[in-house]
Amino acid sequence: MTVLFAQILQQETDLNMIIQTLFSFAFIVYLFYAQRLQSLQMLNQIEATLRRLKKIRDEARGISINAINEVGKPGVDISAKVDRIMEFISIPLTEMDPYGIVDKLDHYLKVNHDIFEAEVKAIAPNAAEVERQNLENLVGLTFELNYIYKAMRHNYLMGKKTMNIYIILQVHMILPLIMQLVESLTVGIQATREGIPIGDSVGPIVAGRLMKDYPKRDISKEMVSAEVPFDGRTLIVMKAKGPGGTVGTPDEAIMTALNEKEGKVKIIIMIDAAGKMEGEPVGAISEGVGAAIGGTGKEKFKIEEITVKYKVPIHAIAIKQGMEHTMAPLVEELAEGAEKAGESVKRIIMDYSQPGDIVIVAGIGNTIGVGQ
Amino acid sequence: MMKTHSQGGSAPPVTGITASWVNLAIIVVIGILSLVSLYFGFKSFIEDQITAYTYLLIGALGFAAIGYMLFRGGRPSAQSKMDIPRAEIITTLECPKCNLRRVRDFKQGDYVFKNDEPCTRCDGVMIISRVNRKKEPDKEKKQGVIE
Ligand SMILES: [Zn+2]
């Protein structure tokens, strides 16, 4: 090697020329093709992610089909029907004239929900209600994964077709966020398949613990409530009807309860899972005011509207968790958080109401794996 | 379309970007050229300082470019650990009469607040008080959390 180098170095001037030419050449190439190289590199990374996403989607589809065959016993091949559901489209409302949009959204969401329910019922005719609700969640997750996959593929192919760095860049920039979203969905597959409580179930757990020894009634669609005596007060405790995977209709339940009591309710306490900030511990409790409910905002609007009408204050209890916990099987910190939140509920009742008052306690969230 | 009523929040960024062969080829070419350039820089230092500095500068820039390419967009991860994950789930049962507590593996059909099985110590019925994921031994140590 050294001999070779020594030989080379004897013709130093020639080599100098060659090296210099090479460098100049590389510089010129880079000057003109840097952007293209960068695009290719980004496209490669998008493609790798896309391939992974496809694998996850296919796996989720397989799990869904197996689950439907197992609990729904359709007796025929349902894979084509599952594929049809996965391609389901739901055309969003126009918001050109926002007047009355909440009622339109309410109607739109109900129709969506009913059709999805009917489709799952059709492919799993022998599933009990609880199993069917869990299947709806499972197929829903598969649907979402498929949608994300298709959207990503669209953008990837668009980028490849145009080789436009700005199109590619936009997809590339959101890749980590997309994979984060995908990860938060995939952890829900096991939970919905087997009916395990998830991070979002903490609200129903708190409510369920308060109401479990008292007679229940159906207060609105997929919602149960119980009147619970507590230190001279009457609590109207409500949650989605478990243990199937549903969020129920908390807005309608609160509206019904308030109307029935003609607004003579001292306070409303809402318990919900809420996103934590980085650095905050999982299962931490925050107390505050306001309608603690996520989702489309339709429920929040309705609850705010009725509480303004009757001038009832809403206390909020948030159980903090990361995006990766919301649909994943409940972690121990959150199970403990739900117990702590139960103490918070009792303290708020003692602090903000007197004996003889009526208090509404609503556990908000998906009640999968949580009875009452 | 799985519905939850959780209120939005932020979550940690996920790195999972793989390096491509294009990247690798460019790095290798620039690396070799930079090395040769540095060599000539040192070689000609005594005779001609201006040429030497030029070579050294080119070599250093080459390595800087490699560093930039390697560390931009995250380190290439060897294998994706993303598939559909399965967690170990445990069920905790409690007897409301004698407060006996028992933990067992989760069975399909278990749900929180279900009246499950007769108590082994008294004539009460055990109620499922918790269904949760088994705590994994702390894999990652806390790295300088600011509280
Ligand atoms: Zn017992």
Side-chain angles (χ1 to χ4, degrees), chain A residues 177-249:
Chain A
L177 296 174
I178 297 277
M179 286 325 277
Q180 195 183 335
L181 177 64
V182 168
E183 212 170 312
S184 76
L185 294 173
T186 52
V187 287
I189 301 267
Q190 184 194 7
T192 49
R193 171 78 180 84
E194 297 171 20
I196 302 161
I198 56 176
D200 195 50
S201 308
V202 283
I205 291 176
V206 176
R209 187 163 291 129
L210 285 168
M211 73 202 288
K212 72 173 191 291
D213 300 323
Y214 298 92
K216 288 119 202 150
R217 69 171 180 117
D218 292 339
I219 188 165
S220 63
K221 191 172 185 246
E222 294 178 358
M223 287 293 281
V224 283
S225 79
E227 294 209 357
V228 177
F230 179 81
D231 217 14
R233 289 93 166 155
T234 305
L235 311 183
I236 302 172
V237 185
M238 54 181 70
K239 70 183 272 294
K241 190 176 188 177
T246 173
V247 291
T249 47

Side-chain angles (χ1 to χ4, degrees), chain A residues 16 144 180 190 272 275 330 369 371, chain B residues 1 5 7 11 55 87 112 133:
Chain A
N16 271 356
E144 269 181 278
Q180 195 183 335
Q190 184 194 7
D272 189 19
L330 199 70
Chain B
M1 265 201 291
H5 269 153
Q7 299 160 76
Y55 274 126
V112 184
R133 211 160 130 178

Side-chain angles (χ1 to χ4, degrees), chain A residues 9 15-16 23 41 45 52 55-56 144 180 190 194 200 209 272-273 275 278 294 299 330 366 369 371, chain B residues 1-7 11-12 17 23 39-40 55 58 72 80 82-83 86-87 111-113 133:
Chain A
L9 288 173
L15 210 88
N16 271 356
F23 254 113
Q41 202 185 336
Q45 291 177 350
R52 212 154 76 197
K55 196 170 149 237
I56 292 169
E144 269 181 278
Q180 195 183 335
Q190 184 194 7
E194 297 171 20
D200 195 50
R209 187 163 291 129
D272 189 19
E278 279 305 303
E299 289 95 344
L330 199 70
N366 192 317
Chain B
M1 265 201 291
M2 172 169 182
K3 277 191 267 175
T4 60
H5 269 153
S6 160
Q7 299 160 76
I17 292 164
N23 220 345
Y39 184 82
F40 279 113
Y55 274 126
I58 289 172
R72 183 193 46 178
S80 65
M82 282 229 13
D83 268 331
R86 272 194 71 85
Y111 61 87
V112 184
F113 309 128
R133 211 160 130 178

